[in-house]
Amino acid sequence: MMMYFADTTKGRPFSKDPAVVKFKGSYYMYYSINSPKEGKAGGIWGIGIAISDDLTHWRVAGEIYRELEYEANGFCAPGAIVKDGQIHLFYQTYGNGAKDAICHAVSEDGLHFCRNASNPIFSPTGEWNNGRAIDADVIRYHDKYYLYFATRDPKGEIQMLGAAFTEADSDFGRDSWVQACSEPILRPELPWEGKCIEAAAVCVKDQKVFMFYAGNYNNMPQQIGCAVSRDGIHFRRISDFPFLTNGEPGDWNSSESGHPFLFKDEDDRTYLFYQGNNDNGKTWYISKVEIGWQQGRPFIIRK
């Protein structure tokens, strides 16, 4: 059965930027929501929470509310991992232009989160970027945790990816992160990628890091590509074509298939979660496909 989820608590079907973990016997999904009734043009961004028993049927379970000054303009685009019996959430501030940065919070129950006292924990440096960091994804690779983020060129036009790392026993605080690149680790080069590569979604397979990423800005259409690395920093595309395309006219995802997240279950089955819509972004839904592996390369398992 196809997964087709949208949070309707804000008055319209709207769920973007999924992140999924298995925690205490259930699946937790964190995603971006938008509240259009708070008196601000474009609404205020926040993070919703849904829970599932089977990865297909989801029920809205809560919301993470703004608490501190750096969250005042909104926050979104969560990434999530489970470490030492806790859920660690990595998310971005929103509405601050080039000053948007990555933050961190931790939860004992998956619903209530305690912010890292050093937030925001990361923003990039160097003349190759404008200092912005969004779309965090974190993964354990060898003896370190790698943080992948999207940023823009100094003019704020080209979206591209960067990386940082911290040690395995890290508290994920601001002083623990080391920027791992002095240039983009992946930037748009192919026609279908337009001026944007964002939303890195990574997993480790056969000692390699596979990165699924969103190419092009929303609804242009955004589609999903894939690249691979032997060191977690230097990536090469596995194809010049999208790994997962937008749908045909009339399909639920005809406007885009974008912003991926990789989830590996306890049985080693791997799922690619992603967002889509067919009305140029008036609504947003989240779905998933299962990923298989053949001769060291991923493919979509068609049901």
Side-chain angles (χ1 to χ4, degrees), residues 227-261:
V228 63
S229 171
R230 292 185 178 275
D231 63 3
I233 303 297
H234 302 90
F235 284 85
R236 60 173 180 81
R237 292 166 176 80
I238 67 171
S239 171
D240 288 344
F241 301 97
F243 179 80
L244 179 64
T245 63
N246 66 308
E248 298 294 331
D251 290 346
W252 75 273
N253 58 339
S254 60
S255 291
E256 83 161 53
S257 295
H259 202 107
F261 183 84

Side-chain angles (χ1 to χ4, degrees), residues 12 14 16-17 32-35 40-47 66 68-78 90-103 120 122 132-136 150 152 159 198 217-218 259 284:
R12 56 174 168 157
F14 198 101
K16 294 186 68 179
D17 314 329
S32 298
I33 52 177
N34 186 274
S35 301
K40 181 179 178 181
I44 298 289
W45 287 90
I47 295 174
R66 304 191 306 280
L68 299 171
E69 183 177 353
Y70 56 82
E71 299 172 343
N73 291 331
F75 56 85
C76 59
F90 300 87
Y91 63 98
Q92 67 170 79
T93 60
Y94 191 86
N96 308 293
K99 294 183 179 180
D100 281 324
I102 304 300
C103 298
F122 183 80
R132 191 181 195 219
I134 64 171
D135 293 354
R152 293 198 180 187
Q159 196 108 293
E198 61 184 9
Y217 286 113
N218 281 155
H259 202 107
W284 289 94

